[in-house]
Amino acid sequence: MAIASPSTSSIAATLSYTHHDSPWHGRVSSVPCLRSPLPCRLPPRLTVSSRFYSSKPSSGSVFPEDHFELQYSLPTHSRSTKAAPVFVTLPPDAVNLMGQMKRKKAMGASFMALMAAGVEGIVVEVWWGIVEREGPRVYDWGGYLDIVDLAGRYGLKVRAVMAFHQCGRGSDNSPWLPLPQWVYEEMDKDPDLAYSDRFGRRNREYISLGCDILPILRGRSPIQAYSDFMRDFRKKFRKYLGVVITGIQVGMGPAGELRYPSCPSEKLSSAWRTRELGEFQCYDKYMLASLNACAQEIGMREWGGGGPLGAGNLMQNPEETSFFKSDGVWNKPYGEFFLEWYSGMLLLHGERLCMAADSIFWGTGVTISAKVAGIHWHYGSHSHPSELTAGYYNTSVRDGYLSIARLLAKYRMTLCCTCFDIQDSEEKEVNPNSSPEGFLRQLILAARLCGISLEGENSVARLDEPSMKQVIKNSKLYSAGGGQSFSFNFVRMSKHLFESHNWTRFTRFVRQMSDARTFQARLDCRRSEFFFSSSSASSEDVRGKAFAYY
């Protein structure tokens, strides 16, 4: 039986949120945004100031006298670089829509080749839409059990991604990994379960965080559904946890990243070329109810009707918009209010999932991680519009990533981020404001300051020499400092990886990242009916077998 959608007034009454260290703190009482036992501390407006990298504003821009640009530097260390184990992400459809592992022989040959190359393990996305496809609380882990068991036979570790999002644009496009059909049925009844922008365009990649704690999924809230999924995973994979499965990444939004779907995920890889600003995703009734409650709390009812006006369109020059231009509304009282609320809702969503994952997986021997998107194509501007629309309140005068790192540190979690393979010089000619290296330096510094481990990823599945050298260079920014661990997830495994010229570069890359780790083929014969040694076959022989299966 479908549950009636709550009214706007009842939603607002259910909502609560407290601003700390914000420009409104001390002037107003607690702002009712999402009533929860998890108050979320927002970061100070200015947190880090050092000198190494500066996000350069457009010429002729004007800043108030009491503002200045944040600059980031990484302290130098004399300690030697630690080994950085390499994991390889499997194709997203390694398990098909019926829950079966695809192409077992090809997968086995691939795992043998990865093991022979010295790869530490694999990353596999465990799709909500596949496992719980039959109905609420009906779980089918069969295909994923096969993958984990096979990886264990070849001595590979496994990182499992709890994928609560949709992948792809539809059944006519491959790969297509949907949400559970019964979730789409609820979205059809109540379209406001999906994010919406000011034009009324719905994005169904991930359930709107505005209804995180409301019983909109046949009596359960989204947070309850995600928690039940992770709890059943722990039960079913208990014997592998801490032995074969050494890491769990908790999906927190579109593409598994803690962000809003400010532009569709399939467009992100080219967004730096089109310079998309993104759209604020705050127009479903649940988000609007929260915003309206916040505005009323501070006596500014007119601020609660929707997102900012004058934010331009997806591909407009930010200097041509009244909100994002250098001296725009983003840096005025209304802009500060809205961006505190918008980013704060994202942090609150992240905290709910961190708390759930921590309570479920604590004591199992696995590390837990969360992923941040590498949105860098307006990093050189004052307002960083593409980051703001994604929910990262990061500008030239405010550090928006330190608050995320603090949240993960609170729950002993690891930070995962992309952009390790991209150089600024690759993008400057097309987009002068793009700076993947600047973004990465800032994020690495936040992780170092909070003492959390880091997982790096490449943004595009490239196997050329410059991109691999860039990964090695960027990995040293974190691993050379000592302290917490660093590892790298190569995204992703495909037939191209096993082509001879690419395989040669990749195995050399693994050796360089792994430092003293062995490059010789190895198999744990106690977990496999197979026996393989470097004296009987070479890495190239195994690579050839893997390539032949594709």
Side-chain angles (χ1 to χ4, degrees), residues 118-141:
V119 167
E120 182 78 2
I122 60 167
V123 181
V124 57
E125 288 132 329
V126 182
W127 297 98
W128 183 25
I130 292 177
V131 174
E132 204 172 348
R133 66 186 181 279
E134 297 296 338
R137 297 190 181 90
V138 180
Y139 305 103
D140 175 13
W141 303 102

Side-chain angles (χ1 to χ4, degrees), residues 203-450:
N203 186 301
R204 308 211 311 180
E205 293 181 58
Y206 189 81
I207 298 174
S208 169
L209 61 80
C211 50
D212 263 355
I213 58 173
L214 300 175
I216 49 84
L217 295 178
R218 302 187 183 182
R220 290 187 298 169
S221 71
I223 295 297
Q224 288 174 326
Y226 304 149
S227 299
D228 288 344
F229 182 93
M230 291 189 286
R231 197 172 291 110
D232 202 72
F233 178 90
R234 181 194 65 190
K235 177 182 176 182
K236 184 63 69 172
F237 291 85
R238 183 179 297 276
K239 70 177 183 179
Y240 297 102
L241 295 177
V243 181
V244 178
I245 301 174
T246 57
I248 300 289
Q249 185 179 117
V250 184
M252 295 187 174
E257 298 164 336
L258 180 62
R259 64 173 175 87
Y260 293 101
S262 50
C263 79
S265 293
E266 63 267 16
K267 299 176 69 176
L268 281 182
S269 62
S270 60
W272 66 274
R273 291 182 179 276
T274 55
R275 311 185 194 187
E276 295 197 20
L277 305 179
E279 290 288 347
F280 290 109
Q281 303 292 310
C282 59
Y283 290 86
D284 63 78
K285 68 183 179 186
Y286 302 101
M287 293 291 285
L288 286 175
S290 172
L291 177 59
N292 183 57
C294 288
Q296 290 192 52
E297 182 70 20
I298 64 170
M300 300 297 289
R301 185 185 299 268
E302 65 273 21
W303 287 359
L309 299 176
N313 58 41
L314 285 173
M315 290 174 279
Q316 190 171 351
N317 184 340
E319 292 302 316
E320 296 174 358
T321 70
S322 60
F323 188 80
F324 292 126
K325 65 181 181 180
S326 298
D327 57 346
V329 178
W330 65 274
N331 206 30
K332 303 294 192 298
Y334 164 70
E336 292 170 347
F337 159 78
F338 175 81
L339 294 171
E340 286 274 358
W341 167 80
Y342 189 67
S343 63
M345 291 285 281
L346 187 67
L347 282 170
L348 183 57
H349 174 69
E351 176 137 23
R352 286 175 174 143
L353 283 168
C354 286
M355 177 174 282
D358 182 63
S359 65
I360 292 167
F361 293 111
W362 172 249
T364 62
V366 302
T367 59
I368 310 172
S369 65
K371 189 175 179 181
V372 171
I375 298 178
H376 52 78
W377 41 95
H378 287 290
Y379 192 85
S381 67
H382 273 301
S383 62
H384 297 218
S386 52
E387 291 165 81
L388 297 184
T389 55
Y392 305 142
Y393 191 0
N394 188 63
T395 68
S396 59
V397 296
R398 189 185 191 281
D399 191 328
Y401 297 111
L402 192 55
S403 55
I404 297 174
R406 285 171 174 164
L407 171 63
L408 299 184
K410 177 179 176 182
Y411 292 95
R412 305 171 298 276
M413 291 176 66
T414 296
L415 174 63
C416 179
C417 61
T418 62
C419 293
F420 272 73
D421 58 324
I422 313 174
Q423 302 178 51
D424 283 3
S425 58
E426 294 179 75
E427 304 191 354
K428 287 298 184 184
E429 290 186 8
V430 177
N431 181 4
N433 275 332
S434 182
S435 181
E437 293 184 73
F439 155 78
L440 193 58
R441 277 192 287 265
Q442 183 181 350
L443 203 65
I444 287 174
L445 178 58
R448 287 255 290 266
L449 289 173
C450 294

Side-chain angles (χ1 to χ4, degrees), residues 517-538:
R517 292 175 178 267
T518 181
F519 185 64
Q520 300 300 313
R522 52 183 176 79
L523 269 181
D524 187 347
C525 60
R526 292 172 297 177
R527 295 183 189 162
S528 175
E529 65 270 26
F530 302 100
F531 179 80
F532 176 79
S533 71
S534 57
S535 61
S536 60
S538 67

Side-chain angles (χ1 to χ4, degrees), residues 86-87 107 110-116 118-122 147-148 150-158 243-245 522-523 527:
V86 175
F87 289 72
M107 194 69 75
S110 299
F111 285 2
M112 181 179 286
L114 294 179
M115 178 273 298
V119 167
E120 182 78 2
I122 60 167
I147 286 179
V148 172
L150 187 64
R153 291 184 184 186
Y154 286 99
L156 295 172
K157 305 300 183 184
V158 175
V243 181
V244 178
I245 301 174
R522 52 183 176 79
L523 269 181
R527 295 183 189 162

Side-chain angles (χ1 to χ4, degrees), residues 49-233:
S49 179
S50 51
R51 195 159 188 84
F52 181 71
Y53 176 81
S54 172
S55 54
K56 299 295 184 183
S58 302
S59 59
S61 63
V62 178
F63 255 130
E65 291 181 359
D66 60 340
H67 289 90
F68 52 91
E69 294 178 38
L70 285 179
Q71 297 174 327
Y72 300 91
S73 71
L74 294 172
T76 57
H77 293 267
S78 59
R79 299 176 65 176
S80 61
T81 302
K82 294 183 177 180
V86 175
F87 289 72
V88 174
T89 305
L90 299 186
D93 56 352
V95 172
N96 64 26
L97 293 177
M98 299 307 296
Q100 300 165 332
M101 177 179 168
K102 294 175 64 176
R103 306 180 68 193
K104 291 185 179 181
K105 287 187 177 181
M107 194 69 75
S110 299
F111 285 2
M112 181 179 286
L114 294 179
M115 178 273 298
V119 167
E120 182 78 2
I122 60 167
V123 181
V124 57
E125 288 132 329
V126 182
W127 297 98
W128 183 25
I130 292 177
V131 174
E132 204 172 348
R133 66 186 181 279
E134 297 296 338
R137 297 190 181 90
V138 180
Y139 305 103
D140 175 13
W141 303 102
Y144 295 106
L145 281 166
D146 289 343
I147 286 179
V148 172
D149 184 68
L150 187 64
R153 291 184 184 186
Y154 286 99
L156 295 172
K157 305 300 183 184
V158 175
R159 285 176 172 170
V161 179
M162 304 289 101
F164 301 120
H165 60 284
Q166 167 188 298
C167 175
R169 291 174 290 179
S171 56
D172 295 335
N173 294 276
S174 183
W176 166 239
L177 290 310
L179 299 181
Q181 182 57 38
W182 56 270
V183 173
Y184 287 133
E185 290 170 3
E186 298 306 312
M187 285 184 170
D188 291 338
K189 296 173 188 175
D190 182 4
D192 286 290
L193 300 186
Y195 286 109
S196 178
D197 64 17
R198 61 198 169 110
F199 301 109
R201 294 175 297 199
R202 302 282 180 181
N203 186 301
R204 308 211 311 180
E205 293 181 58
Y206 189 81
I207 298 174
S208 169
L209 61 80
C211 50
D212 263 355
I213 58 173
L214 300 175
I216 49 84
L217 295 178
R218 302 187 183 182
R220 290 187 298 169
S221 71
I223 295 297
Q224 288 174 326
Y226 304 149
S227 299
D228 288 344
F229 182 93
M230 291 189 286
R231 197 172 291 110
D232 202 72
F233 178 90

